[in-house]
Amino acid sequence: MRVAVLHETLPGEERVALVPESVKKLAGAKNEVWIEAGAGEAAGINDRDYESAGAKVTTDRTQLLPAADVLVCVQRPSPSYMAAMRPGSVVLGFLRPLDEPTALEPAIGLKLTTFAVELIPRITRAQAMDALSSMATVLGYKAVLIAATQLPRMFPMLMTAAGTIVPAKVLVLGAGVAGLQAIATAKRLGAVVEAYDVRAAAGEQVKSLGGTFLEVDLGGIATEDAGGYAKELTPEALQRGRDLIAKHARNADVIITTAAVPGRRAPLMMNDEAVLAMKRGSVIVDLAAPTGGNVTLSRPDETVVTENGVTILAPLNLAATVPFHASQLFSRNMASFLQLLGKDGQLNINMSDDVVGPSCVTHQGQVVNSRVASMLAEPVGR
Ligand code: NAD
């Protein structure tokens, strides 16, 4: 199986899909790995490191794409890259199939098999391939650091000769993978942390990290689906959450919002009024920006300073700002997934595999994911 990695082209994308450690592993399992020269540079990895790990490094993209059995990428490749690939070859990466399904339409006509890492099922067997969790870990960590650098205060409680400094108060909204990492990072920096989530299971996890879990009566409705994800709430339940958040936001120095419902717009957790009642100098990082944002006043990839002096950040691609470790985690996830696509060094796609099948968007000229098919009004293939 010939696996190719290109230099990512999205502005600001500094991650690379495979790092030398994974190249070595893949090469040891009878695969060839071709890397475009300079692909790892922004993540601190040079071409020599790839060559030492057993990769062939080439500057010739026109040679690399038609030769590849699998193109592994962080972001979805451009239509012209897809067009240069052979029918039957594979594209694997963050393909955004539910956010931008039409962008995958070229893959149908080109008969490319596309696997979206967003669709990899979160079952025990696929845990090592869970790139969403890997990136959420990076996001939760980095969100706290950018908030700390914006804040006109320090995080820890300090007892100095000049007297005591009180610790910062951090409120985390949504205590999933990113939220829990934000709580852990804020605690390590010495902040006092509160968190809110609609899933009851999140409460124990918040407490085990030393945070205070905020609870609200949502009227006994089901808040969690069978897969352990939050459900889309009723308007009334959402409002009860917002009222509780608004009350606690008034005392917070930093708010990190991470609330998401898979395949839906992010829930609105803070309206204008809640933000305008916060303290001057406080900071909000809205990590839900890529799916519409949790805060009405946040603007994607912009820094907003409100009339009452609250700074709101809404980064769209924060994981790319920690390219070394984000690439390392993503690459390990991809190397695990690639093991399922090859047999004896040959591409061998088994659509009945319980990880491979559900992760696939297009195969042999058809859309095989029913949600994507209905969004594109295409018949579902097999
Ligand atoms: P996510 O990114 O979809 O959502 C982030 C958080 O927002 C979730 O905790 C969710 O409950 C919360 N949320 C949604 N709507 C909300 C609202 N209106 N108010 C407050 N909070 C709201 O989720 P995620 O972080 O990717 O994962 C969530 C959970 O999924 C994990 O904590 C875990 O239980 C499960 N999970 C399982 C696996 C696995 O088994 N391999 C892997 C990852 C996650």
mmCIF file of all heavy atoms in Angstrom, residues 262-284:
data_model
loop_
_atom_site.group_PDB
_atom_site.id
_atom_site.type_symbol
_atom_site.label_atom_id
_atom_site.label_comp_id
_atom_site.label_asym_id
_atom_site.label_seq_id
_atom_site.Cartn_x
_atom_site.Cartn_y
_atom_site.Cartn_z
ATOM 1 N N PRO A 262 -23.208 16.688 18.111
ATOM 2 C CA PRO A 262 -22.714 16.234 16.801
ATOM 3 C C PRO A 262 -23.721 16.425 15.663
ATOM 4 O O PRO A 262 -24.893 16.103 15.807
ATOM 5 C CB PRO A 262 -22.422 14.747 17.042
ATOM 6 C CG PRO A 262 -22.171 14.656 18.509
ATOM 7 C CD PRO A 262 -23.059 15.681 19.154
ATOM 8 N N GLY A 263 -23.237 17.003 14.564
ATOM 9 C CA GLY A 263 -24.068 17.175 13.369
ATOM 10 C C GLY A 263 -25.059 18.325 13.448
ATOM 11 O O GLY A 263 -25.860 18.503 12.542
ATOM 12 N N ARG A 264 -25.035 19.095 14.530
ATOM 13 C CA ARG A 264 -25.962 20.229 14.683
ATOM 14 C C ARG A 264 -25.176 21.509 14.927
ATOM 15 O O ARG A 264 -24.007 21.471 15.289
ATOM 16 C CB ARG A 264 -26.874 20.026 15.902
ATOM 17 C CG ARG A 264 -27.665 18.773 15.881
ATOM 18 C CD ARG A 264 -29.143 19.097 15.612
ATOM 19 N NE ARG A 264 -29.934 17.892 15.645
ATOM 20 C CZ ARG A 264 -30.199 17.129 14.596
ATOM 21 N NH1 ARG A 264 -29.722 17.444 13.409
ATOM 22 N NH2 ARG A 264 -30.929 16.041 14.702
ATOM 23 N N ARG A 265 -25.877 22.628 14.804
ATOM 24 C CA ARG A 265 -25.268 23.891 15.183
ATOM 25 C C ARG A 265 -24.999 23.841 16.685
ATOM 26 O O ARG A 265 -25.780 23.260 17.445
ATOM 27 C CB ARG A 265 -26.248 25.039 14.865
ATOM 28 C CG ARG A 265 -25.622 26.399 14.949
ATOM 29 C CD ARG A 265 -26.594 27.489 15.384
ATOM 30 N NE ARG A 265 -25.896 28.758 15.461
ATOM 31 C CZ ARG A 265 -25.141 29.131 16.496
ATOM 32 N NH1 ARG A 265 -24.992 28.351 17.558
ATOM 33 N NH2 ARG A 265 -24.518 30.303 16.493
ATOM 34 N N ALA A 266 -23.912 24.461 17.116
ATOM 35 C CA ALA A 266 -23.584 24.476 18.553
ATOM 36 C C ALA A 266 -24.695 25.186 19.328
ATOM 37 O O ALA A 266 -25.254 26.163 18.841
ATOM 38 C CB ALA A 266 -22.258 25.201 18.758
ATOM 39 N N PRO A 267 -25.029 24.701 20.536
ATOM 40 C CA PRO A 267 -26.082 25.383 21.309
ATOM 41 C C PRO A 267 -25.622 26.761 21.790
ATOM 42 O O PRO A 267 -24.451 26.941 22.123
ATOM 43 C CB PRO A 267 -26.310 24.438 22.502
ATOM 44 C CG PRO A 267 -25.067 23.642 22.614
ATOM 45 C CD PRO A 267 -24.488 23.530 21.227
ATOM 46 N N LEU A 268 -26.567 27.698 21.839
ATOM 47 C CA LEU A 268 -26.236 29.036 22.360
ATOM 48 C C LEU A 268 -26.271 28.987 23.884
ATOM 49 O O LEU A 268 -27.297 28.675 24.479
ATOM 50 C CB LEU A 268 -27.230 30.068 21.840
ATOM 51 C CG LEU A 268 -26.892 30.628 20.466
ATOM 52 C CD1 LEU A 268 -27.990 31.556 19.975
ATOM 53 C CD2 LEU A 268 -25.544 31.359 20.483
ATOM 54 N N MET A 269 -25.147 29.284 24.487
ATOM 55 C CA MET A 269 -25.036 29.171 25.948
ATOM 56 C C MET A 269 -25.034 30.535 26.623
ATOM 57 O O MET A 269 -25.379 30.658 27.780
ATOM 58 C CB MET A 269 -23.724 28.457 26.323
ATOM 59 C CG MET A 269 -23.426 27.200 25.546
ATOM 60 S SD MET A 269 -24.491 25.863 26.026
ATOM 61 C CE MET A 269 -23.813 25.474 27.608
ATOM 62 N N MET A 270 -24.569 31.554 25.898
ATOM 63 C CA MET A 270 -24.511 32.894 26.495
ATOM 64 C C MET A 270 -25.020 33.915 25.491
ATOM 65 O O MET A 270 -24.482 34.025 24.384
ATOM 66 C CB MET A 270 -23.055 33.249 26.862
ATOM 67 C CG MET A 270 -22.489 32.399 27.979
ATOM 68 S SD MET A 270 -20.870 33.013 28.483
ATOM 69 C CE MET A 270 -21.322 34.499 29.377
ATOM 70 N N ASN A 271 -26.068 34.651 25.873
ATOM 71 C CA ASN A 271 -26.554 35.716 24.992
ATOM 72 C C ASN A 271 -25.827 37.030 25.309
ATOM 73 O O ASN A 271 -25.008 37.090 26.234
ATOM 74 C CB ASN A 271 -28.077 35.849 25.094
ATOM 75 C CG ASN A 271 -28.520 36.109 26.519
ATOM 76 O OD1 ASN A 271 -27.720 36.543 27.355
ATOM 77 N ND2 ASN A 271 -29.779 35.841 26.813
ATOM 78 N N ASP A 272 -26.172 38.078 24.567
ATOM 79 C CA ASP A 272 -25.488 39.377 24.739
ATOM 80 C C ASP A 272 -25.566 39.846 26.190
ATOM 81 O O ASP A 272 -24.580 40.306 26.766
ATOM 82 C CB ASP A 272 -26.147 40.462 23.867
ATOM 83 C CG ASP A 272 -25.991 40.189 22.375
ATOM 84 O OD1 ASP A 272 -25.680 39.045 22.015
ATOM 85 O OD2 ASP A 272 -26.188 41.122 21.581
ATOM 86 N N GLU A 273 -26.759 39.711 26.757
ATOM 87 C CA GLU A 273 -26.998 40.217 28.115
ATOM 88 C C GLU A 273 -26.047 39.563 29.129
ATOM 89 O O GLU A 273 -25.484 40.246 29.991
ATOM 90 C CB GLU A 273 -28.442 39.878 28.465
ATOM 91 C CG GLU A 273 -29.074 40.805 29.437
ATOM 92 C CD GLU A 273 -30.471 40.273 29.804
ATOM 93 O OE1 GLU A 273 -31.085 39.547 28.998
ATOM 94 O OE2 GLU A 273 -30.896 40.590 30.924
ATOM 95 N N ALA A 274 -25.849 38.250 28.995
ATOM 96 C CA ALA A 274 -24.986 37.528 29.941
ATOM 97 C C ALA A 274 -23.543 38.027 29.835
ATOM 98 O O ALA A 274 -22.840 38.174 30.836
ATOM 99 C CB ALA A 274 -25.051 36.027 29.664
ATOM 100 N N VAL A 275 -23.103 38.305 28.614
ATOM 101 C CA VAL A 275 -21.727 38.782 28.412
ATOM 102 C C VAL A 275 -21.597 40.214 28.928
ATOM 103 O O VAL A 275 -20.610 40.570 29.586
ATOM 104 C CB VAL A 275 -21.335 38.700 26.917
ATOM 105 C CG1 VAL A 275 -19.973 39.323 26.684
ATOM 106 C CG2 VAL A 275 -21.351 37.244 26.442
ATOM 107 N N LEU A 276 -22.621 41.026 28.664
ATOM 108 C CA LEU A 276 -22.544 42.442 29.049
ATOM 109 C C LEU A 276 -22.660 42.637 30.566
ATOM 110 O O LEU A 276 -22.403 43.728 31.078
ATOM 111 C CB LEU A 276 -23.611 43.253 28.299
ATOM 112 C CG LEU A 276 -23.395 43.275 26.769
ATOM 113 C CD1 LEU A 276 -24.536 43.969 26.053
ATOM 114 C CD2 LEU A 276 -22.053 43.911 26.390
ATOM 115 N N ALA A 277 -23.017 41.558 31.271
ATOM 116 C CA ALA A 277 -23.076 41.639 32.740
ATOM 117 C C ALA A 277 -21.774 41.126 33.381
ATOM 118 O O ALA A 277 -21.647 41.098 34.605
ATOM 119 C CB ALA A 277 -24.265 40.819 33.244
ATOM 120 N N MET A 278 -20.814 40.729 32.550
ATOM 121 C CA MET A 278 -19.551 40.213 33.109
ATOM 122 C C MET A 278 -18.618 41.349 33.533
ATOM 123 O O MET A 278 -18.804 42.501 33.156
ATOM 124 C CB MET A 278 -18.840 39.308 32.073
ATOM 125 C CG MET A 278 -19.525 37.968 31.896
ATOM 126 S SD MET A 278 -18.735 36.983 30.601
ATOM 127 C CE MET A 278 -17.169 36.580 31.359
ATOM 128 N N LYS A 279 -17.583 40.955 34.279
ATOM 129 C CA LYS A 279 -16.643 41.962 34.798
ATOM 130 C C LYS A 279 -15.736 42.497 33.677
ATOM 131 O O LYS A 279 -15.356 41.748 32.781
ATOM 132 C CB LYS A 279 -15.723 41.314 35.848
ATOM 133 C CG LYS A 279 -16.415 40.985 37.135
ATOM 134 C CD LYS A 279 -15.414 40.492 38.167
ATOM 135 C CE LYS A 279 -14.831 39.141 37.813
ATOM 136 N NZ LYS A 279 -14.051 38.517 38.868
ATOM 137 N N ARG A 280 -15.361 43.751 33.750
ATOM 138 C CA ARG A 280 -14.383 44.328 32.824
ATOM 139 C C ARG A 280 -13.082 43.516 32.917
ATOM 140 O O ARG A 280 -12.672 43.140 34.018
ATOM 141 C CB ARG A 280 -14.128 45.796 33.214
ATOM 142 C CG ARG A 280 -13.148 46.539 32.337
ATOM 143 C CD ARG A 280 -13.237 48.043 32.544
ATOM 144 N NE ARG A 280 -14.508 48.575 32.065
ATOM 145 C CZ ARG A 280 -14.767 48.880 30.783
ATOM 146 N NH1 ARG A 280 -13.836 48.723 29.866
ATOM 147 N NH2 ARG A 280 -15.929 49.342 30.430
ATOM 148 N N GLY A 281 -12.473 43.248 31.779
ATOM 149 C CA GLY A 281 -11.195 42.526 31.773
ATOM 150 C C GLY A 281 -11.351 41.014 31.667
ATOM 151 O O GLY A 281 -10.372 40.296 31.448
ATOM 152 N N SER A 282 -12.572 40.521 31.801
ATOM 153 C CA SER A 282 -12.717 39.060 31.711
ATOM 154 C C SER A 282 -12.609 38.594 30.253
ATOM 155 O O SER A 282 -12.732 39.391 29.322
ATOM 156 C CB SER A 282 -13.997 38.585 32.390
ATOM 157 O OG SER A 282 -15.073 39.390 32.042
ATOM 158 N N VAL A 283 -12.354 37.302 30.094
ATOM 159 C CA VAL A 283 -12.033 36.753 28.769
ATOM 160 C C VAL A 283 -12.911 35.525 28.495
ATOM 161 O O VAL A 283 -13.092 34.687 29.375
ATOM 162 C CB VAL A 283 -10.542 36.320 28.709
ATOM 163 C CG1 VAL A 283 -10.200 35.716 27.351
ATOM 164 C CG2 VAL A 283 -9.616 37.489 29.009
ATOM 165 N N ILE A 284 -13.426 35.466 27.276
ATOM 166 C CA ILE A 284 -14.190 34.281 26.854
ATOM 167 C C ILE A 284 -13.464 33.659 25.660
ATOM 168 O O ILE A 284 -13.060 34.376 24.740
ATOM 169 C CB ILE A 284 -15.627 34.654 26.406
ATOM 170 C CG1 ILE A 284 -16.397 35.320 27.549
ATOM 171 C CG2 ILE A 284 -16.374 33.427 25.895
ATOM 172 C CD1 ILE A 284 -17.788 35.834 27.133
#
